[in-house]
Amino acid sequence: MQNPSVVLHGPHEAYVEDRPIPVLSEVNDVIVRVAYVGVCGSDVHFWNNGGHLSKVKDPLVMGHEAAGIVHAVGPNVTNIAPGDRVALEPGIPCRKCRDCKAGAYQICRKMVFAASPPYPGTLTKFFASSADCCYKIPDGMPLEQAVLMEPLAVAVHGVRLAGVHFGHKVIVFGAGTVGLFCAAVARDFGAALVLSVDILENKLAFAKEIIGTHIGRTATPDSALTPEENARLLVEAHGLEHGADIVIDASGAEASINTGIFLLRSGGTYVQVGMGRRSVQFPISEICDREIVVKGSFRYGAGDFETALGLVERGCINLKPFITNVFPFEQASDAWKATGRGEGIKNVIEAPRD
Ligand SMILES: [Zn+2]
Ligand SMILES: [Zn+2]
């Protein structure tokens, strides 16, 4: 095979198939020899539901969290050269629309995003990207850890939108990869308290390790209680009489969203990072009565990958413990299944070696 790729045909139907090797079609294009691809919740969703294949008939090359080695570059590329080790930003915006021009390319409606139908994903040997979407990684960073730059950039974007400043009390719901990174980034942005909330004890044990015990706390809400009651218990247990300055929801769970709103101080900021159901019950009167600011956070924007790399390079965040398992290319579906069962933090798939 010249370009083996893991292709999804429908729910629980994925095979290694050959695809043409991509070519440099623009002067700023880059071909990357993929080394590792991280598994994300959306991959599991695609695997279980066949992606959006109901809308798009064509089979889909999976994967969007990737790192690899630059294979070829177009004539105008100056920031990277063949042989460089890079983390990939998996979406290429149109650069021309109003949103792109206004500096919010993450909401570009013409975004070409890996494994977002109909665009092919990164679970392939050779992947075509653009030079400004490839970030050289530090010498000491193993390529399998570099796949974490994508979820870390998601966290940086959310924490930036939240406006976390020195001294803030920050609560993060959800202790999956993105939630953990949000908590760690909030700490590094100067939060005085970071409380990580999840229903799974093993995730919280990991959160303790990652955030540290100096400013980091963890909590498990009681699912038998209402969000208001859970909020009251958390306020008492963690000295939040005036409420939290910032709540970031990386869970998408209705109960968490509601509890988060009740935990905020008046005038506080709520940021939705995690995606759950399309609509949930939401205590909207709290938003008015207490002038709470609510923001949505989608992927990452200008500077977020650089900030993510900077945090790792300065030793603020240790990526090693995040990598749970590395699966062979041919066993990509085992990696999705393991992630679907909630096993570990980040499962990674190794791209074909030769
Ligand atoms: Zn992802
Ligand atoms: Zn655009």
Side-chain angles (χ1 to χ4, degrees):
M1 285 193 209
Q2 33 172 350
N3 190 25
S5 308
V6 178
V7 183
L8 184 73
H9 287 260
H12 304 135
E13 269 186 81
Y15 314 102
V16 175
E17 291 172 10
D18 203 9
R19 285 286 186 270
I21 295 179
V23 290
L24 298 165
S25 46
E26 308 265 348
V27 289
N28 287 306
D29 275 2
V30 175
I31 308 293
V32 174
R33 172 82 190 257
V34 180
Y36 294 95
V37 178
V39 176
C40 156
S42 67
D43 298 318
V44 179
H45 180 81
F46 276 25
W47 163 246
N48 286 327
N49 299 285
H52 304 303
L53 294 179
S54 48
K55 275 187 247 159
V56 181
K57 294 279 177 290
D58 297 330
L60 180 73
V61 178
M62 294 279 281
H64 63 273
E65 300 176 4
I69 294 168
V70 175
H71 178 71
V73 298
N76 282 13
V77 174
T78 53
N79 62 325
I80 45 170
D84 283 348
R85 301 155 74 247
V86 291
L88 286 180
E89 180 168 350
I92 302 173
C94 84
R95 314 173 205 274
K96 292 189 174 90
C97 72
R98 193 189 164 94
D99 294 321
C100 281
K101 284 178 157 180
Y105 71 80
Q106 67 276 15
I107 52 172
C108 171
R109 288 284 136 204
K110 291 183 179 161
M111 173 81 82
V112 173
F113 199 87
S116 184
Y119 308 111
T122 56
L123 207 41
T124 182
K125 187 171 172 182
F126 294 105
F127 182 76
S129 182
S130 196
D132 60 325
C133 296
C134 299
Y135 300 86
K136 253 200 249 188
I137 59 171
D139 287 341
M141 185 189 285
L143 277 164
E144 74 257 32
Q145 290 176 21
V147 304
L148 290 164
M149 286 307 105
E150 200 262 4
L152 184 54
V154 170
V156 166
H157 191 64
V159 173
R160 266 186 174 160
L161 277 176
V164 173
H165 289 310
F166 198 81
H168 273 165
K169 291 179 177 176
V170 180
I171 304 181
V172 180
F173 284 84
T177 309
V178 170
L180 289 165
F181 278 152
C182 284
V185 174
R187 173 202 59 201
D188 296 330
F189 276 27
L193 168 84
V194 177
L195 173 62
S196 176
V197 184
D198 202 290
I199 48 173
L200 297 172
E201 291 290 349
N202 60 330
K203 303 248 177 198
L204 290 180
F206 189 75
K208 249 179 217 151
E209 257 176 65
I210 296 303
I211 319 167
T213 46
H214 181 52
I215 58 138
R217 307 271 190 96
T218 59
T220 314
D222 184 342
S223 46
L225 301 178
T226 65
E228 252 180 304
E229 287 165 341
N230 268 311
R232 204 173 308 131
L233 290 179
L234 289 173
V235 162
E236 283 164 18
H238 299 283
L240 291 161
E241 295 73 37
H242 305 292
D245 299 286
I246 312 275
V247 166
I248 297 172
D249 180 70
S251 75
E254 185 174 288
S256 301
I257 293 166
N258 280 268
T259 307
I261 294 291
F262 289 120
L263 275 168
L264 271 173
R265 69 165 166 80
S266 295
T269 299
Y270 175 90
V271 174
Q272 190 67 43
V273 173
M275 287 212 209
R277 291 211 317 273
R278 189 166 166 79
S279 40
V280 294
Q281 168 148 358
F282 188 82
I284 195 99
S285 62
E286 290 290 313
I287 307 302
C288 297
D289 291 351
R290 300 197 288 114
E291 292 204 344
I292 286 167
V293 179
V294 176
K295 294 183 182 181
S297 180
F298 191 56
R299 294 177 181 153
Y300 18 73
D304 293 330
F305 262 74
E306 285 97 331
T307 302
L309 276 163
L311 286 169
V312 177
E313 213 171 355
R314 289 200 306 276
C316 301
I317 297 170
N318 176 18
L319 298 177
K320 195 165 182 244
F322 281 84
I323 307 288
T324 307
N325 235 323
V326 179
F327 289 78
F329 192 63
E330 297 72 24
Q331 286 159 34
S333 57
D334 291 338
W336 302 326
K337 285 180 214 164
T339 302
R341 287 192 299 266
E343 285 173 23
I345 306 297
K346 179 60 72 179
N347 292 302
V348 172
I349 300 164
E350 190 173 10
R353 277 168 189 243
D354 39 48

